Amino acid sequence: MGPASLIQSLRDAQRIVALTGAGISAESGLATFRAAQTGLWSKFKPEDLATADAFRRNPKLIWDWYAWRREQALKAEPNAGHLALAEMEKRAPQFLLVTQNVDGLHSRAGSQNIVELHGNVHRALCSENNCSSDNFDVEHGRCRSCGANLRPDVVWFGEMLPPAALQTAIAAAEKCDAFFSIGTSSIVYPAADLWRRAAEHGAIVIEINKDLTPLTPMASYSFLGKAGEFLPELVTAVWDKKKIHESSGAD
Ligand code: BJW
């Protein structure tokens, strides 16, 4: 497993940040966005489904699409990649998982310290005011406080990311020793910029992706492959006590 220098750097790391994208949930059977044949954006136009304008034009269409996405997410199970990241959190001194995914699979896998940059498909928001969710009529998609439509609590193109989540992610990236970019095409900002902040502050950047991305040439380590296959092996190689014992030369 991997170069010895990476294994040692991860054993020494005090702070690790992992950014994930749709690719980590691909092995759970969920579609990514940009895969040529199977990606969501190969079948649907983002401007029809993932903008506030689209929601204003046709809230029912958007709700139906997200109801389908919610159902897919609930039917899916966390895979070995999600589980390995939950395990990494237990082993590393400090660990933050930053995800662009809205499917909730990381928390179902047992990750605790999670920042959701693009929201969560299992929650709703009042589309007009900042009303409390206590008074939502989720069944009819209506806010009882102000009468407005409810909308999925996800971040669409042109919308700001939740400020606290973004600030937490940026602060952690700027302080970490190792930054993972896993299963993301690294083209949607501001998430796609986090690795740069980490690198500028001296962190090693490790990419795990089935394909090349704009980050690949800049990463300290780049592993072309499936997250669900690579991550469990990496966690074992770095933190498995028996292996650490063996590789330190002790008998
Ligand atoms: C595997 C694998 C396996 C597969 N193992 N790997 C700067 C420059 C240029 C543009 C901008 C910029 N700043 C802002 C923009 C505009 C825009 C943007 O970035 N556009 C780009 C497309 C050019 N950004 C925004 O609009 C953001 N908002 C913003 O910046 O606000 C600023 C603002 C300021 C002041 C006022 C107002 C605004 C918001 C972005 C929101 C993104 N929303 C979506 C939908 C979320 C809800 C939903 O799920 O429906 O988020 S779009 C979609 O893309 C989704 C994802 O989270 C996001 C990223 O996609 P991801 O996860 O990377 O998926 P894929 O499919 O692209 O990639 C999967 C990868 O996995 C691939 O690489 C595979 O190879 C790999 N893979 N199987 C390992 N088994």
Side-chain angles (χ1 to χ4, degrees):
M1 157 54 50
S5 62
L6 170 61
I7 292 178
Q8 196 53 52
S9 298
L10 290 173
R11 278 181 196 159
D12 293 343
Q14 288 303 303
R15 296 185 173 97
I16 298 180
V17 172
L19 170 71
T20 62
I24 190 136
S25 295
E27 288 159 79
S28 295
L30 297 182
T32 63
F33 291 92
R34 295 174 181 83
Q37 302 296 323
T38 56
L40 293 169
W41 295 160
S42 73
K43 302 190 177 108
F44 310 101
K45 285 198 206 143
E47 56 272 32
D48 289 346
L49 293 169
T51 66
D53 270 354
F55 181 74
R56 273 190 289 272
R57 279 197 305 270
N58 195 345
K60 176 152 184 341
L61 173 77
I62 310 300
W63 265 118
D64 287 350
W65 193 59
Y66 279 98
W68 174 74
R69 299 268 309 280
R70 243 188 337 271
E71 199 184 300
Q72 299 294 307
L74 287 173
K75 276 201 292 204
E77 291 296 330
N79 66 54
H82 297 108
L83 294 170
L85 288 172
E87 196 56 39
M88 199 184 284
E89 177 172 357
K90 290 192 197 138
R91 311 289 185 99
Q94 281 187 46
F95 181 86
L96 180 69
L97 183 71
V98 180
T99 189
Q100 299 168 86
N101 298 346
V102 298
D103 55 32
L105 286 177
H106 283 300
S107 51
R108 283 173 56 200
S111 287
Q112 309 252 320
N113 206 9
I114 306 178
V115 164
E116 290 175 327
L117 287 181
H118 294 165
N120 188 308
V121 78
H122 303 294
R123 293 192 304 257
L125 281 179
C126 172
S127 63
E128 296 293 334
N129 300 297
N130 200 13
C131 298
S132 157
S133 59
D134 294 351
N135 221 1
F136 287 173
D137 176 359
V138 177
E139 202 190 327
H140 299 101
R142 221 181 114 268
C143 173
R144 287 197 194 92
S145 306
C146 72
N149 285 325
L150 296 183
R151 57 163 282 179
D153 184 0
V154 298
V155 181
W156 288 321
F157 285 112
E159 293 187 319
M160 284 216 287
L161 277 63
L166 182 59
Q167 264 159 34
T168 304
I170 290 175
E174 291 180 344
K175 274 205 287 276
C176 70
D177 306 305
F179 183 95
F180 282 90
S181 177
I182 304 165
T184 174
S185 53
S186 287
I187 59 170
V188 176
Y189 287 82
D193 222 19
L194 288 170
W195 73 266
R196 197 182 297 277
R197 292 172 183 270
E200 277 169 10
H201 285 77
I204 55 166
V205 175
I206 307 117
E207 182 180 53
I208 302 161
N209 198 302
K210 247 176 48 172
D211 290 317
L212 306 176
T213 75
L215 162 60
T216 311
M218 265 82 82
S220 325
Y221 300 90
S222 171
F223 297 97
L224 274 183
K226 292 186 177 178
E229 291 171 5
F230 183 81
L231 279 168
E233 282 187 36
L234 180 72
V235 170
T236 303
V238 176
W239 288 286
D240 185 291
K241 288 215 172 60
K242 190 166 154 279
K243 290 219 164 154
I244 292 170
H245 191 67
E246 282 166 9
S247 65
S248 70
D251 48 32

